[in-house]
Amino acid sequence: MALWGGRFSDGPADAVFALSRSVHFDWRLAPYDLRSSLAHLEILESSGLLKPEIATSIRGALKELIAEVAAGKFLAIDSDEDVHSALERGLTEKLGEIGGSLRAGRSRNDQVTTDLRLYAIDHMLEVATQILQLQKSLIAKASEYGDAPAPGFTHLQHAQPILFGHEIAKHAHAFSRDLDRISDWLARASVSPLGSGALAGSSLPLSPEKTAKALGFASSAANSIDAVSDRDYVAEALFILAMIGSHLSRIGEEWCIWATTEYGWAKVADAYSTGSSIMPQKKNPDMAELARGKAGRLVGNLTALLTTLKGLPFAYNRDLQEDKEPLFDSIDTVLLVLPAVTGMIATTDFDREKMALAAPLGFSLATEIADYLVRANIPFAHAHEAAGKCVALCESSGRQLHQLTDAELAHIHPSLLPDVRDVLTVQGALASRTTFGGTAPSSFAAQINGLSADIEVLSKKFHDKRAAFSAMMGA
């Protein structure tokens, strides 16, 4: 039996059914739909709306369907419109007419957004777990190169020397912000719409609060119209996934640059590289390029949903059927890219000698001259000017900063004494950057310790949340 149609004299045209049909993509909501049905069944039984023997039969059939869906033994068929109608068909095939009893007090409007919230929570927890693995890989690689000097860049031009481990570790901080966003999102997404009905709630003696608790939500929606209309949680999840994609893309960009012949810093493992169909010598960092390319897809999914939601009238509208595919695709994409990037990072070797030789190039130690003068109580504007003149003189004479004579230094500024050369070394520049978050070895060690401690805390937090969610789904 269709979920609607009593007041219609004819069924939908083939073209209408084809456009309306969503079971080919929303079938992945089936486990969550069945779990929410069990929670709804409990309320129908406890409120006296279903006799115990009928509730027992339905409960048994639902549990059978849960096992059959998990095993791939029960699937949607061509005549099913969506996941809800497919599963009700499964119940009626097992139980006859009483299979439709679960529809009491529930609409597809509150049902589908409940399912989608559960799906999103489940998979965002999986994304968080994968990010934690990526962070561990980043920290391990950063620690491995925690004593390796390299040039730091702004505008892709040599700026100041840094520890290469510091360069790698920066990415772990970006992903920590992503984990914070997921954590914040979980709090806002943990609101149950079930019990809101089509838009006005229900006249039946239901208990949305109890249903929310049974499904692991923190609360039940306070406004039934908002509950069936709200897709903020989808848009926000898509934003988080797009940000993750952006952070992965920036890693991809750096790996592509560092692996070029011109740089020659990164040796990407064969297992994370590909070749050319025509040029036998090629070894391409395709995983890095794909990580970079997928980011555009993630941004596009976010833009698509925001465009759909803009100006949408309340309460439920069929436009909201367009919320699922962008979310499904973005989650699939991120979960596809994360393990590949994690493996690429873990297996990449870097050329310490090339990076160290490049560290002082491009007059990257010029700031040390300015800082030297500042410590001599020279205003920074004058110190900056003097350092710039040192660079100009070196460029015109084909020398490095430490090769300027005592007389030349004194002529540029009287406070530039011969001992300024003591700071014109890469190791001296690195050691001097001791501010919190700086690139000095001591600051870098503190950064790694802090990151590692934070990851341990977050790992436990997300592990506990996943365990609780799994327990709820298995109840």
Side-chain angles (χ1 to χ4, degrees):
M1 181 184 293
L3 300 187
W4 57 273
R7 61 93 69 208
F8 290 82
S9 59
D10 197 3
D14 290 345
V16 171
F17 183 77
L19 180 59
S20 298
R21 192 171 186 266
S22 61
V23 74
H24 52 290
F25 60 79
D26 68 17
W27 181 247
R28 66 172 72 192
L29 297 179
Y32 310 96
D33 192 88
L34 289 165
R35 180 62 188 91
S36 66
S37 290
L38 280 173
H40 186 60
L41 175 65
E42 294 296 326
I43 297 301
L44 292 178
E45 181 183 15
S46 62
S47 63
L49 293 170
L50 281 181
K51 293 179 180 179
E53 59 272 20
I54 292 178
T56 299
S57 296
I58 295 175
R59 186 176 297 106
L62 284 172
K63 291 185 176 181
E64 287 178 10
L65 276 175
I66 289 172
E68 291 170 5
V69 167
K73 293 180 178 179
F74 181 82
L75 298 169
I77 60 177
D78 290 345
S79 59
D80 293 326
E81 181 184 7
D82 56 26
V83 63
H84 318 295
S85 58
L87 293 174
E88 183 165 318
R89 173 179 59 80
L91 280 177
T92 55
E93 286 175 358
K94 292 178 180 294
L95 302 172
E97 290 185 1
I98 65 169
S101 302
L102 269 179
R103 211 185 305 168
R106 188 172 69 169
S107 163
R108 282 189 296 181
N109 294 2
D110 61 344
Q111 189 176 354
V112 68
T113 190
T114 301
D115 298 348
L116 192 57
R117 280 180 189 265
L118 291 172
Y119 171 90
I121 290 169
D122 191 10
H123 287 78
M124 290 298 278
L125 287 171
E126 172 62 18
V127 169
T129 300
Q130 292 291 335
I131 289 175
L132 285 162
Q133 293 303 312
L134 173 58
Q135 284 189 304
K136 290 175 183 177
S137 183
L138 285 165
I139 290 173
K141 189 59 63 175
S143 299
E144 182 181 349
Y145 292 93
D147 60 346
F153 296 85
T154 64
H155 308 279
L156 273 181
Q157 303 295 317
H158 283 220
Q160 292 176 288
I162 56 166
L163 291 174
F164 192 64
H166 190 60
E167 184 84 73
I168 298 293
K170 69 179 187 282
H171 293 296
H173 293 279
F175 290 112
S176 287
R177 292 191 296 274
D178 292 326
L179 290 172
D180 285 343
R181 277 185 275 268
I182 291 174
S183 185
D184 292 342
W185 174 87
L186 285 168
R188 283 187 289 278
S190 189
V191 179
S192 174
L194 202 58
S196 297
L199 79 161
S202 177
S203 63
L204 300 177
L206 306 178
S207 178
E209 301 91 339
K210 288 183 180 179
T211 306
K213 185 177 180 181
L215 294 174
F217 290 109
S219 64
S220 178
N223 183 293
S224 57
I225 301 174
D226 177 61
V228 299
S229 308
D230 171 33
R231 293 301 186 274
D232 290 7
Y233 67 97
V234 181
E236 189 177 355
L238 288 172
F239 169 75
I240 294 169
L241 295 165
M243 282 302 304
I244 293 168
S246 177
H247 293 147
L248 291 167
S249 176
R250 296 184 81 175
I251 290 175
E253 172 71 1
E254 287 189 338
W255 251 249
C256 287
I257 292 172
W258 292 338
T260 59
T261 301
E262 286 72 19
Y263 267 74
W265 290 10
K267 183 180 179 181
V268 181
D270 287 356
Y272 291 91
S273 305
T274 63
S276 166
S277 61
I278 190 172
M279 295 170 285
Q281 85 283 5
K282 291 297 296 295
K283 181 180 176 181
N284 301 322
D286 279 15
M287 298 310 99
E289 294 174 2
L290 287 167
R292 192 175 57 189
K294 295 291 186 183
R297 180 175 186 154
L298 297 168
V299 173
N301 285 337
L302 170 61
T303 304
L305 183 67
L306 289 176
T307 304
T308 298
L309 296 178
K310 185 189 76 65
L312 200 62
F314 289 86
Y316 182 84
N317 296 273
R318 198 61 181 274
D319 311 52
L320 291 176
Q321 186 167 301
E322 297 300 311
D323 61 355
K324 297 168 196 66
E325 288 177 287
L327 181 64
F328 297 161
D329 182 69
S330 286
I331 286 172
D332 289 348
T333 298
V334 168
L335 289 177
L336 188 66
V337 174
L338 279 169
V341 172
T342 299
M344 180 188 73
I345 290 168
T347 56
T348 298
D349 291 323
F350 292 93
D351 191 320
R352 289 171 174 269
E353 184 178 356
K354 280 189 177 181
M355 294 189 298
L357 289 172
L361 300 182
F363 305 106
S364 65
L365 297 169
T367 306
E368 307 310 310
I369 295 175
D371 288 350
Y372 172 91
L373 290 172
V374 168
R375 287 191 290 271
N377 297 316
I378 306 302
F380 184 77
H382 297 299
H384 187 283
E385 179 74 13
K389 288 181 178 179
C390 289
V391 171
L393 180 56
C394 285
E395 283 187 318
S396 65
S397 59
R399 290 178 289 170
Q400 295 298 315
L401 292 168
H402 67 277
Q403 295 176 318
L404 294 176
T405 67
D406 293 351
E408 288 170 329
L409 289 168
H411 178 72
I412 289 172
H413 197 286
S415 294
L416 284 176
L417 304 178
D419 67 350
V420 70
R421 294 186 185 84
D422 295 340
V423 302
L424 293 178
T425 66
V426 169
Q427 292 300 331
L430 292 173
S432 69
R433 297 298 190 273
T434 57
T435 50
F436 182 78
T439 197
S442 58
S443 297
F444 174 73
Q447 173 190 183
I448 293 299
N449 289 336
L451 275 170
S452 298
D454 289 345
I455 286 175
E456 286 302 313
V457 172
L458 287 170
S459 292
K460 184 179 186 309
K461 176 181 178 179
F462 284 109
H463 175 271
D464 291 348
K465 285 181 178 294
R466 288 194 76 190
F469 191 90
S470 295
M472 180 278 296
M473 287 294 291

